[in-house]
Amino acid sequence: MSVSKTNIVLSSGAKARIVVAEAAAFAVEAYSLEPAVPAVRRIAARLARARLGAPVYDVPHPSVRQPARSYAWGDGRSAEVHSARVGAILDRLAEVGTSPVDLWCDRRGTAPTRLPVPMAGTDLLRLRSASLERHQLLANGSYFLFHHEEFDTPFEAYGDPIGLVAVGGTILAPAQVNRASLTGRAGRFAVERVQFCDLRIVLPGGQVIATHAFGDHDPGLVAGPIAMARYFGALDGRTPVAPAVTEVVIVGRHAVAVIAGGNVPIPRTGCVLRFPGRPDAKMLDALIAGEPLDYVIEGQALKDAVQAGPRIVSGGQVSVDEATMLAEHVFVREASGDLRQPSPFRWHADAHETRAARLGAGVRADRTLFFCAIEGRSSYSGGGQARGATLHDLAYLLVECGAVDGLHLDGGGSMQLFRPYGGALLTPGDVCHDFADPFAEYDRPVPLGLRLDLS
């Protein structure tokens, strides 16, 4: 069968319900490309408020333009904002008496803040499953910004995907740290590690911008245009100070702000383009008008891809240990001059302790693709002891099913698997404390899904 569902005993000795699905192909669906219908936005906002314990508000897509507005940015400088999204965020912060500088300082702290949380494009997979064909499944995909501590620039929003996202041959969001990705290239599936410096950026008009090397922090880097990300040229998450530079903040593929002088917080959902002096006026006008840039990668073009990780199977062997996870920069403990911990902020990178719902993808020696989903419930969500699988459990299961390469996709309360018309193959594991019944289960809104064509 192309889909099997059974109860098994995991390698750790715990019992679990699993689903294994053979996939002839997968396609990434990015729900942030278009606004959700009002009813879904209301549901998503209510669930987000309950989960975060903070007010949330919807924000426009980064591509939605507004007339240029200036906002105080600290050090006597201002940000020239051209995005309705960022304008909405900064306006709301001003209502509660918070400046962008205060936001940056607060979010870097350990205590969750109670500032308004901007909400980006998410949707409910159960509703999206109405468009599935009989031979298809819909699953969650990759990590996204989710907790208070993750919103540490005015450019980011709840639900923004973190890491590489490619849809139908277009890279919508760039890779960040060197983490495993599930990639599809003209019918060939693979698990490969991709990082920001593997990409090149093509601006409107055709100018190509190089991306900064990993871990190199050079405050004097103004010789030519370059793109920077959190671990690629940043100093403590910001661009280096340099009076003669102009920087364009990018979220996804779209420009959202123009700032001179450096010291700009870099969003994990995009990058910052750094130009010596003033960039080409025609190109900058195109970006400001909403024309997207393009990310390109060496070799055969990606068709669809999501980045998650860690890679837990390599060469047909279980490869789950702390060294493997640190090698993928799930946690950067001694990153000199930069943030110590990339998102996802609260993702527990251990092999044998944390139990949760899990979703994994495996590629066999003949390059066929399959997915393993394990039902679970996280211990921090209330309702008793944690249920589900450890990363080692998932890795062992992928190997048992024939994987020579495998990775962990997003799990926990995000793990969902639907047949057409809302048929859940496994019980969702999200819990919403804001309602009378703490044991009620809810589908978590997510920013993207994987549409699986069954073989």
Side-chain angles (χ1 to χ4, degrees):
M1 307 181 54
S2 55
V3 178
S4 61
K5 179 177 178 179
T6 185
N7 296 318
I8 68 168
V9 176
L10 300 169
S11 63
S12 61
K15 296 179 180 179
R17 180 177 298 147
I18 71 166
V19 170
V20 178
E22 307 287 338
F26 78 95
V28 179
E29 297 184 347
Y31 304 137
S32 59
L33 287 178
E34 57 188 30
V37 298
V40 171
R41 289 211 305 271
R42 287 194 296 272
I43 293 170
R46 189 69 180 91
L47 292 173
R49 284 199 302 270
R51 163 64 67 177
L52 297 171
V56 300
Y57 56 97
D58 206 359
V59 296
H61 190 270
S63 63
V64 178
R65 301 292 98 185
Q66 65 181 22
R69 300 173 62 184
S70 293
Y71 293 85
W73 200 257
D75 302 327
R77 294 181 301 119
S78 64
E80 187 180 287
V81 171
H82 299 270
S83 165
R85 168 192 174 115
V86 178
I89 293 173
L90 295 178
D91 288 345
R92 187 62 65 93
L93 292 174
E95 291 175 13
V96 296
T98 300
S99 73
V101 174
D102 294 332
L103 172 77
W104 179 251
C105 295
D106 289 344
R107 298 304 194 199
R108 293 292 308 281
T110 56
T113 68
R114 295 301 177 195
L115 296 174
V117 176
M119 197 173 114
T122 60
D123 210 338
L124 299 171
L125 290 189
R126 191 182 297 267
L127 297 182
R128 287 279 180 167
S129 70
S131 67
L132 293 176
E133 303 293 337
R134 290 177 60 89
H135 63 282
Q136 293 179 327
L137 291 176
L138 191 60
N140 62 295
S142 62
Y143 300 129
F144 56 96
L145 290 179
F146 185 64
H147 290 287
H148 292 91
E149 297 92 333
E150 295 171 344
F151 309 112
D152 58 8
T153 81
F155 310 118
E156 299 165 340
Y158 173 94
D160 279 339
I162 292 293
L164 179 69
V165 177
V167 177
T170 299
I171 297 177
L172 301 182
Q176 297 290 325
V177 293
N178 193 18
R179 188 173 289 152
S181 304
L182 175 64
T183 62
R185 303 173 189 261
R188 181 175 64 85
F189 310 114
V191 175
E192 52 189 306
R193 283 165 55 174
V194 184
Q195 58 186 329
F196 183 70
C197 60
D198 295 329
L199 306 174
R200 296 292 179 270
I201 293 172
V202 182
L203 301 179
Q207 182 182 5
V208 178
I209 301 292
T211 46
H212 203 288
F214 174 75
D216 181 14
H217 312 285
D218 182 3
L221 187 69
V222 294
I226 197 162
M228 294 182 171
R230 281 295 183 90
Y231 296 90
F232 301 82
L235 291 169
D236 200 26
R238 292 172 176 254
T239 62
V241 175
V245 301
T246 301
E247 294 177 328
V248 181
V249 182
I250 303 293
V251 173
R253 301 174 63 208
H254 294 94
V256 295
V258 179
I259 307 172
N263 200 32
V264 174
I266 303 176
R268 284 154 298 179
T269 55
C271 61
V272 170
L273 308 181
R274 185 176 175 95
F275 298 90
R278 191 73 175 172
D280 175 76
K282 185 175 181 181
M283 179 276 300
L284 185 59
D285 287 345
L287 282 175
I288 289 172
E291 189 170 337
L293 55 75
D294 290 312
Y295 301 100
V296 296
I297 192 168
E298 298 291 338
Q300 187 179 4
L302 290 173
K303 181 178 181 294
D304 290 271
V306 289
Q307 190 164 34
R311 186 175 193 159
I312 54 178
V313 177
S314 181
Q317 302 295 316
V318 171
S319 59
V320 180
D321 53 39
E322 185 177 7
T324 300
M325 296 173 198
L326 292 176
E328 294 205 353
H329 308 297
V330 175
F331 290 94
V332 178
R333 290 182 171 174
E334 302 296 338
S336 175
D338 212 329
L339 301 176
R340 293 186 299 276
Q341 188 179 44
S343 59
F345 189 89
R346 292 183 179 177
W347 191 82
H348 298 291
D350 63 72
H352 298 285
E353 297 177 10
T354 303
R355 292 190 179 280
R358 303 284 185 186
L359 178 65
V363 179
R364 298 190 178 92
D366 61 2
R367 311 320 292 174
T368 54
L369 176 67
F370 68 96
F371 293 80
C372 288
I374 305 174
E375 192 172 272
R377 186 185 184 115
S378 301
S379 58
Y380 58 78
S381 60
Q385 186 177 5
R387 292 185 282 112
T390 65
L391 281 179
H392 186 272
D393 286 331
L394 177 61
Y396 188 87
L397 181 59
L398 290 174
V399 169
E400 196 174 59
C401 292
V404 294
D405 289 299
L407 81 159
H408 175 251
L409 297 167
D410 197 11
S414 297
M415 205 288 291
Q416 299 168 58
L417 195 62
F418 288 104
R419 293 306 301 263
Y421 311 115
L425 289 176
L426 295 174
T427 303
D430 206 8
V431 175
C432 211
H433 293 293
D434 201 44
F435 302 114
D437 184 356
F439 302 104
E441 292 162 337
Y442 296 86
D443 301 339
R444 179 179 295 173
V446 293
L448 59 83
L450 302 180
R451 184 176 292 243
L452 313 181
D453 284 334
L454 305 179
S455 56

